[in-house]
């Protein structure tokens, strides 16, 4: 029997609605600690909606309604007692398009820490340096920390956003198609980074790129029309899927 402590995130009978649209239907899924889980499926199938369930980003949408339970380490994150700002310290997010602030590289990475009220310059500098090192960016920017983050390349900007998310030391990192706007070289760097980061973090990534899912993830969940069709080890999903719809999708017959 699998030790429940191996799981950090879990959804139980989760249904999501946007007004009349039933976007997610009875989703039951457990996410293992210190692993990479890829969410795959055609556009509009519910992948990003499911990703955003875990840090309550969907709360900003007026028509959003959720049923069921979502847990992080056993705590229901939709409980009224949960402070969303605290939750988002634990569950960071990197978006599809790099979104650095119009500030210096240093100020971008230190932003979340300063919001928490941290003012110790030495502590901030140490955390900025460590976060940039984790994001494999320190050597490229260490002499230009006062430079605007907007002056960096797209790939560097995305790694700045990853460093910014890591600076507050989350347990989980959500990534919504983090390489879709990047060139192949930058994509390879981010993928390499994902493989390194899972030693310390749990990562959930939405991707349309089947090759990327097979390269970076330990487990893969296939969504279709709001349903979770199949969830298994990535190797099993791509080599021996149990469901015909999974087979059809990964072989390019639809989607």
């Amino acid at each position: 029997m699998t030790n429940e402590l191996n799981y950090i995130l879990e959804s139980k009978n989760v249904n999501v609605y946007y007004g009349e649209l039933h976007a997610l239907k009875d989703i039951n899924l457990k996410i293992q600690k210190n692993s990479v889980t890829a969410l795959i499926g055609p556009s509009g199938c519910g992948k990003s909606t499911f990703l955003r369930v875990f840090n309550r980003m969907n709360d900003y949408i007026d028509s959003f309604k959720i049923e069921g339970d979502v847990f992080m380490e056993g705590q229901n994150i939709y409980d009224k007692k949960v402070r969303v700002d605290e939750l988002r310290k634990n569950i960071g997010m990197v978006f599809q398009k790099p979104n650095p602030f119009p500030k210096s590289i240093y100020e971008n990475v230190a932003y979340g820490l300063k919001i928490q009220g941290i003012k110790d310059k030495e502590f901030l500098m140490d955390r900025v340096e460590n976060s940039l090192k984790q994001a494999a960016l320190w050597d490229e920017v260490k002499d230009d920390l006062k430079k605007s983050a907007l002056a960096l390349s797209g790939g560097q900007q995305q790694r700045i956003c990853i460093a910014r998310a890591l600076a507050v030391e989350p347990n989980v990192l959500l990534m919504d198609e983090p390489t879709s706007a990047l060139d192949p070289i930058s994509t390879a760097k981010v993928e390499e980074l994902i493989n390194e980061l899972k030693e310390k973090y749990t990562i959930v990534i939405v991707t349309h790129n089947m090759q990327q899912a097979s390269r970076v993830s330990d487990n893969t969940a296939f969504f279709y029309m709001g349903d979770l069709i199949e969830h298994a080890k990535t190797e099993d999903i791509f080599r021996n899927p149990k469901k015909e719809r999974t087979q059809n999708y990964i072989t390019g017959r639809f989607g």
Side-chain angles (χ1 to χ4, degrees), residues 15 38 56 109 116 120-121 133 147 154 182 188 193 248:
N15 287 271
R56 297 188 52 173
V109 182
Q116 293 177 22
D120 184 317
K121 289 184 179 179
K133 283 178 176 175
K147 179 179 177 180
L182 304 182
L193 179 57
N248 288 343

Side-chain angles (χ1 to χ4, degrees), residues 49-60:
T49 291
F50 184 66
L51 188 78
R52 291 162 186 244
V53 157
F54 287 118
N55 71 342
R56 297 188 52 173
M57 287 294 290
N58 296 316
D59 291 15
Y60 294 117

Side-chain angles (χ1 to χ4, degrees), residues 154-170:
Q156 289 175 321
Q157 286 186 20
Q158 190 64 300
R159 282 183 285 148
I160 282 285
C161 294
I162 292 170
R164 188 173 68 200
L166 297 177
V168 295
E169 297 193 325

Side-chain angles (χ1 to χ4, degrees), residues 4 7-14 27-31 50 53-55 66 68-79 82 87 91 172:
E4 287 297 312
Y7 296 102
I8 188 167
L9 299 173
E10 181 180 6
S11 67
K12 279 189 175 180
N13 305 116
V14 166
I27 307 299
N28 291 281
L29 184 62
K30 292 179 178 181
I31 305 288
F50 184 66
V53 157
F54 287 118
N55 71 342
I66 186 167
D69 298 306
V70 183
F71 299 97
M72 178 176 179
E73 296 188 315
Q75 181 181 30
N76 192 333
I77 67 171
Y78 283 84
D79 189 293
V82 170
L87 173 71
I91 304 181
V172 177

Side-chain angles (χ1 to χ4, degrees), residues 13 28 35 57 65 88-89 92 98 106 112 114 121 133 141 143-144 151 155 165 191 195 203 226 232 246 248 251:
N13 305 116
N28 291 281
S35 68
M57 287 294 290
K65 185 178 83 168
R88 290 186 185 141
K89 285 181 199 171
Y106 173 88
K114 289 188 172 183
K121 289 184 179 179
K133 283 178 176 175
V141 302
D143 298 323
D144 294 303
E191 288 184 5
N195 278 318
I203 297 171
T246 311
N248 288 343
T251 55

Side-chain angles (χ1 to χ4, degrees), residues 22-134:
H22 194 175
L24 290 175
K25 304 164 188 173
D26 287 318
I27 307 299
N28 291 281
L29 184 62
K30 292 179 178 181
I31 305 288
Q32 288 181 318
K33 280 184 179 179
N34 298 108
S35 68
V36 180
T37 298
L39 310 182
I40 64 170
S43 296
C45 68
K47 307 182 299 295
S48 291
T49 291
F50 184 66
L51 188 78
R52 291 162 186 244
V53 157
F54 287 118
N55 71 342
R56 297 188 52 173
M57 287 294 290
N58 296 316
D59 291 15
Y60 294 117
I61 301 170
D62 289 338
S63 60
F64 168 75
K65 185 178 83 168
I66 186 167
E67 297 171 350
D69 298 306
V70 183
F71 299 97
M72 178 176 179
E73 296 188 315
Q75 181 181 30
N76 192 333
I77 67 171
Y78 283 84
D79 189 293
K80 290 179 181 176
K81 296 175 185 174
V82 170
R83 288 182 52 187
V84 177
D85 57 339
E86 290 292 331
L87 173 71
R88 290 186 185 141
K89 285 181 199 171
N90 277 322
I91 304 181
M93 184 145 190
V94 176
F95 295 92
Q96 184 172 358
K97 291 184 179 176
N99 61 339
F101 303 135
K103 299 173 180 285
S104 70
I105 293 167
Y106 173 88
E107 290 296 335
N108 263 272
V109 182
Y111 182 81
L113 299 166
K114 289 188 172 183
I115 288 291
Q116 293 177 22
I118 296 170
K119 296 176 181 176
D120 184 317
K121 289 184 179 179
E122 188 175 341
F123 177 87
L124 288 169
M125 188 61 233
D126 283 348
R127 190 68 69 81
V128 167
E129 180 177 341
N130 287 335
S131 301
L132 287 168
K133 283 178 176 175
Q134 285 186 78

